[in-house]
Amino acid sequence: MSLQNSYTWVRFPSRPPILMTSQEILEKYLEFYKKRGHKQIPNVSLVPQNDPTLLFVNSGMFPLVPYLSGEPHPLGKRLVNVQRAMRFAEDLNEVGDNIHTVAFHMIGNWSLGDYFKDEQLPWAYEFLVEQMRLDPKKMIATVFMGDKDAPKDEVSIKILQKIFSKYGISAKENERIFARPKKDNWWQRGDSLGELGGPDSEIHYFIGKGNAQGKDPIEHEKEFVEVGNSVFIQYKKTEKGWSELPQKNVDFGGGLERIAMVVQGKTDIFETDNFWPIILKIQELSGKKYKENELTTRAMRILTDHIRASVFLSMDGVAPGNKDQGYVLRRLIRRMVRNGRVLGIEKDISVSLVPIVCKTFSWLYPQLIEKEDDIKKIFSDEEIKFGKTLDKGAREFEKRKIEILNFTGTSDWLKLSEIAFDLYQSLGYPLEIFIQDIREVAPDIDEKEIEKLFNEKFGEHKDQSRSGAEQKFKGGLADQSENTIKYHTATHLLHMALRKVLGDQIVQHGSNITGERLRFDFNHDKKLSKEEIKKVEDLVNKIIEAGIPVNFEILPKEEALKSGAIHAFNEKYPDQVKVYFIGKNIKEAHSKEFCGGPHVKNTSEIGHIEIYKQDKIGENLLRIYAHIKK
Ligand code: SER
């Protein structure tokens, strides 16, 4: 089937049918908001900079946290973008249905203390109804019902009623608009103090049969897709509860892939242009059909989702490993190998799909074309390693075959689940493959029961061994405590000092800050000597002792570059940038850097810095750790 044929023409009685690719949807969205005074901000790496609480960028608002709290943004108060993001629910097992994906793109627009509900809500609907030609009769709105922290969002209800009436719909509460509690209609990224949040209003699009009217989208979850969420960020979490921020912000986010799904008239996200080319390739590799049976559909969805997420991660510099982001990538690749085998594809599954992903998304990420070969090599090495585990498992299965056949003969699913668990624990041999092996010799097994018993055992096991990486999935707020702000300014000073001591070729390759320390990666081919460390520390501490003011200026990018301000390696900057400098003025500053902030007001606030650890993390890459002396 060609990609063209995979779309459905969307028809409305009074409007012409339209056909839109995800690229066109995005272009229309950006144009819509640019016409309304918004400036586009970059789509940044999935790996968060300076946020130890979060493994992955998980929403479009991620880079905007400081500005929502009041820091001026160099591009102004109205912003728009598309941002790649990753979210994990309880675990990866949710992927496999018609809608859940690990990686997605969020289209977003923001008002940083500028417009509010009166503009945001009508615009959001105007875009979806008039630009995307979605049917307003299929839209159900939800709002915050109010509690001790904030009142019921009556203002949004009134605005929404006006919007619907424009499309000839009388929008009554509990028919078209549903007020819901905090768990559904309040948005905040995590639970720490300093967290920003507020009531939100969601737009749910009906994909079920019959009428949408009267159906609460949360209760009829399977019949709706959430296509947009306007968060009214106006509160900050403090020790005493939620208190009003000095400015009222709008944070709108909509899943590009989900919008594409309804615009393209599909009820399965995998049948849209973002995924379908990958499914086609898997069908070709496996000789099986997507809709052949539940097992093939699920395996193909998992493969399609995971390869996309893995390619994006690899594009952002993540390599398979045992920790943090690397651990996630490893798991994704391993699940691909397993699901490939479920479909009868024995080798090179991820490798064969990389070119399709690179091609499908080159319109958004032209760099993928260049990176394709490197990504293939990395995935191939990982697959070979995991393939060996699988071969070991298969040999063990052969050894225990008679025992296994005995249990299939007596339908002893408990014993079979125990063997499966044993193979899993000792060799990492996956359940799916084990079941596939048994089915070849005994087709009549109750695999659901074996899976259930296995999962019960696995549940106990998982609780004991939950990795740090998984816990971090739950997310949290970019920490803006006093300490992290101090370490942020200290990072600038350290960057400056390293360049003075080692030379101007030194560039930041990565930075990570917690409340206890800073970590800084830069290009250097050996560890620092004692003398070098001392020189760097002295330079930094002299400026801290001198009590130098810290300020910023917002400049056109060219001018900022000319000022000699340093900037992170490998990062795209918008046309207007903010430059933080440490000194009386930008010209004579000790340090000047492209940076969003926030920073301390004066270096005297920091306290003496000490470099306490260094690791060589690559051929020409050194990682140093520093903290404030107690
Ligand atoms: N931050 C909100 C979300 O992620 C809206 O952008 O849903």
Side-chain angles (χ1 to χ4, degrees):
M1 204 192 317
S2 80
L3 184 55
Q4 284 277 319
N5 291 340
S6 74
Y7 297 130
T8 304
W9 289 88
V10 185
R11 291 179 200 287
F12 293 102
S14 54
R15 284 174 287 190
I18 60 165
L19 179 80
M20 254 188 268
T21 61
S22 295
Q23 181 174 1
E24 285 162 335
I25 294 172
L26 176 61
E27 280 165 2
K28 277 193 191 291
Y29 177 74
L30 296 173
E31 185 191 300
F32 184 88
Y33 281 94
K34 281 181 185 170
K35 274 197 185 137
R36 287 157 183 80
H38 292 64
K39 294 279 179 329
Q40 189 175 345
I41 56 171
N43 179 354
V44 299
S45 170
L46 281 168
V47 182
Q49 292 280 311
N50 292 333
D51 191 342
T53 61
L54 209 60
L55 261 195
F56 298 108
V57 166
N58 67 354
S59 61
M61 56 87 81
F62 186 90
L64 293 173
V65 173
Y67 311 104
L68 293 161
S69 347
E71 279 270 324
H73 192 282
L75 293 182
K77 293 182 168 177
R78 295 183 177 202
L79 306 171
V80 64
N81 85 347
V82 59
Q83 174 61 50
R84 53 188 177 277
M86 295 210 352
R87 277 186 199 174
F88 295 82
E90 239 341 87
D91 55 39
L92 288 173
N93 284 334
E94 250 194 357
V95 176
D97 66 7
N98 64 327
I99 187 79
H100 286 97
T101 63
V102 165
F104 64 102
H105 287 84
M106 202 161 226
I107 55 175
N109 60 273
W110 292 272
S111 155
L112 303 173
D114 188 11
Y115 60 83
F116 206 47
K117 298 178 183 175
D118 276 332
E119 290 86 4
Q120 170 54 28
L121 291 170
W123 284 345
Y125 282 82
E126 185 184 334
F127 173 71
L128 291 172
V129 176
E130 287 164 43
Q131 300 283 317
M132 294 294 104
R133 312 292 183 107
L134 293 179
D135 184 351
K137 288 201 280 309
K138 293 191 174 181
M139 291 179 179
I140 299 283
T142 57
V143 297
F144 180 52
M145 67 160 30
D147 66 8
K148 64 176 189 346
D149 293 319
K152 180 172 177 186
D153 196 353
E154 300 283 1
V155 177
S156 290
I157 295 180
K158 291 222 168 60
I159 300 170
L160 288 164
Q161 284 171 332
K162 251 201 228 151
I163 296 169
F164 278 110
S165 80
K166 186 172 141 197
Y167 301 120
I169 299 168
S170 132
K172 297 205 181 72
E173 239 188 277
N174 297 325
E175 277 186 12
R176 185 64 59 184
I177 303 171
F178 290 84
R180 306 276 325 175
K182 215 180 221 138
K183 74 174 178 37
D184 303 316
N185 281 78
W186 177 278
W187 206 85
Q188 66 190 66
R189 286 198 325 166
D191 229 359
S192 11
L193 290 180
E195 178 72 69
L196 309 179
D200 69 46
S201 177
E202 296 172 6
I203 306 168
H204 297 263
Y205 201 72
F206 186 62
I207 55 166
K209 296 212 163 61
N211 264 332
Q213 177 137 324
K215 287 196 173 135
D216 180 332
I218 310 294
E219 276 160 26
H220 295 81
E221 201 191 356
K222 290 229 155 10
E223 292 172 80
F224 286 90
V225 198
E226 184 197 326
V227 289
N229 185 13
S230 301
V231 189
F232 302 109
I233 297 196
Q234 62 188 106
Y235 299 102
K236 183 176 185 141
K237 192 165 178 161
T238 66
E239 268 156 16
K240 290 190 209 103
W242 290 93
S243 68
E244 292 263 354
L245 280 173
Q247 67 185 42
K248 287 187 162 72
N249 308 285
V250 172
D251 159 31
F252 172 83
L256 179 62
E257 289 83 354
R258 289 183 172 199
I259 295 174
M261 170 174 142
V262 292
V263 168
Q264 291 169 10
K266 303 291 185 188
T267 51
D268 178 350
I269 204 162
F270 292 95
E271 289 181 18
T272 66
D273 60 342
N274 287 300
F275 303 94
W276 191 244
I278 310 171
I279 300 265
L280 288 178
K281 182 71 187 178
I282 302 171
Q283 291 193 138
E284 185 195 310
L285 291 169
S286 64
K288 295 196 161 67
K289 286 264 164 289
Y290 177 49
K291 288 279 161 84
E292 201 160 300
N293 57 49
E294 267 178 43
L295 212 67
T296 57
T297 309
R298 190 176 142 78
M300 287 194 196
R301 284 172 175 167
I302 293 173
L303 277 170
T304 303
D305 168 71
H306 287 12
I307 190 66
R308 239 173 55 112
S310 302
V311 168
F312 294 156
L313 279 175
S314 194
M315 170 180 93
D316 284 340
V318 177
N322 288 330
K323 260 175 69 184
D324 297 342
Q325 290 90 355
Y327 172 69
V328 174
L329 179 55
R330 171 160 288 165
R331 270 182 72 191
L332 290 171
I333 295 176
R334 291 186 163 196
R335 280 192 103 215
M336 279 193 265
V337 173
R338 279 153 46 188
N339 281 281
R341 293 200 179 195
V342 171
L343 294 170
I345 308 168
E346 291 298 323
K347 65 188 233 291
D348 290 344
I349 177 66
S350 66
V351 186
S352 317
L353 297 177
V354 169
I356 310 292
V357 181
C358 292
K359 192 160 156 243
T360 307
F361 293 95
S362 60
W363 65 271
L364 189 57
Y365 304 116
Q367 68 267 41
L368 280 177
I369 299 299
E370 238 170 68
K371 294 196 172 180
E372 184 180 316
D373 287 344
D374 288 345
I375 299 178
K376 267 163 61 177
K377 169 86 177 66
I378 294 167
F379 288 11
S380 170
D381 290 350
E382 187 65 21
E383 270 202 33
I384 291 170
K385 237 189 260 167
F386 189 50
K388 286 191 185 138
T389 301
L390 293 182
D391 293 341
K392 266 192 226 149
R395 279 200 295 274
E396 192 60 29
F397 185 92
E398 275 308 308
K399 268 196 222 153
R400 297 176 76 166
K401 201 159 162 184
I402 294 176
E403 187 192 355
I404 290 168
L405 280 176
N406 264 339
F407 293 132
T408 57
T410 53
S411 302
D412 196 338
W413 313 134
L414 180 66
K415 279 279 184 311
L416 286 170
S417 75
E418 280 170 7
I419 298 179
F421 192 72
D422 192 25
L423 290 183
Y424 174 77
Q425 235 188 345
S426 56
L427 301 171
Y429 198 56
L431 176 70
E432 289 101 315
I433 308 284
F434 179 76
I435 287 185
Q436 199 179 319
D437 292 344
I438 309 184
R439 264 210 273 117
E440 273 170 23
V441 284
D444 289 334
I445 51 165
D446 187 344
E447 55 184 66
K448 286 238 158 66
E449 188 60 22
I450 299 175
E451 197 180 320
K452 198 184 110 208
L453 294 163
F454 178 93
N455 283 337
E456 277 170 17
K457 261 197 169 310
F458 186 62
E460 296 161 20
H461 174 74
K462 197 166 71 174
D463 287 343
Q464 294 155 13
S465 64
R466 232 170 216 281
S467 81
E470 273 172 316
Q471 278 166 7
K472 276 201 233 165
F473 289 168
K474 301 226 154 45
L477 180 75
D479 181 2
Q480 286 196 31
S481 66
E482 230 173 86
N483 263 0
T484 49
I485 295 176
K486 284 183 190 169
Y487 278 126
H488 191 190
T489 311
T491 303
H492 281 214
L493 286 173
L494 198 66
H495 195 176
M496 172 276 307
L498 286 165
R499 287 165 68 96
K500 283 227 167 102
V501 175
L502 303 170
D504 280 347
Q505 77 286 355
I506 300 295
V507 200
Q508 167 175 343
H509 279 245
S511 153
N512 175 282
I513 293 171
T514 71
E516 281 80 46
R517 57 120 181 96
L518 67 83
R519 197 181 80 194
F520 189 77
D521 302 342
F522 59 99
N523 52 321
H524 197 54
D525 59 359
K526 53 178 175 300
K527 286 195 177 179
L528 304 180
S529 66
K530 272 205 181 107
E531 293 72 40
E532 284 168 334
I533 291 182
K534 172 116 191 11
K535 270 192 202 161
V536 170
E537 286 175 349
D538 284 351
L539 272 170
V540 171
N541 289 330
K542 241 170 59 198
I543 295 177
I544 290 173
E545 275 166 32
I548 312 278
V550 184
N551 276 306
F552 68 84
E553 259 185 50
I554 292 168
L555 299 169
K557 185 164 72 183
E558 290 310 310
E559 206 177 306
L561 287 169
K562 264 195 235 138
S563 81
I566 46 183
H567 39 91
F569 174 76
N570 215 355
E571 188 131 350
K572 280 199 199 123
Y573 289 95
D575 294 341
Q576 292 277 109
V577 297
K578 196 163 172 182
V579 174
Y580 261 94
F581 59 93
I582 303 175
K584 277 208 193 72
N585 57 54
I586 194 164
K587 237 172 131 198
E588 294 153 343
H590 297 277
S591 139
K592 35 191 145 171
E593 272 195 50
F594 285 34
C595 178
H599 284 280
V600 298
K601 296 256 175 316
N602 191 294
T603 56
S604 60
E605 293 166 40
I606 303 175
H608 277 186
I609 290 290
E610 170 180 53
I611 297 172
Y612 67 92
K613 189 175 159 195
Q614 47 176 338
D615 285 328
K616 222 170 141 320
I617 54 168
E619 208 162 293
N620 191 29
L621 210 52
L622 190 65
R623 167 167 287 180
I624 57 173
Y625 295 81
H627 55 199
I628 298 171
K629 272 198 240 171
K630 293 262 153 56

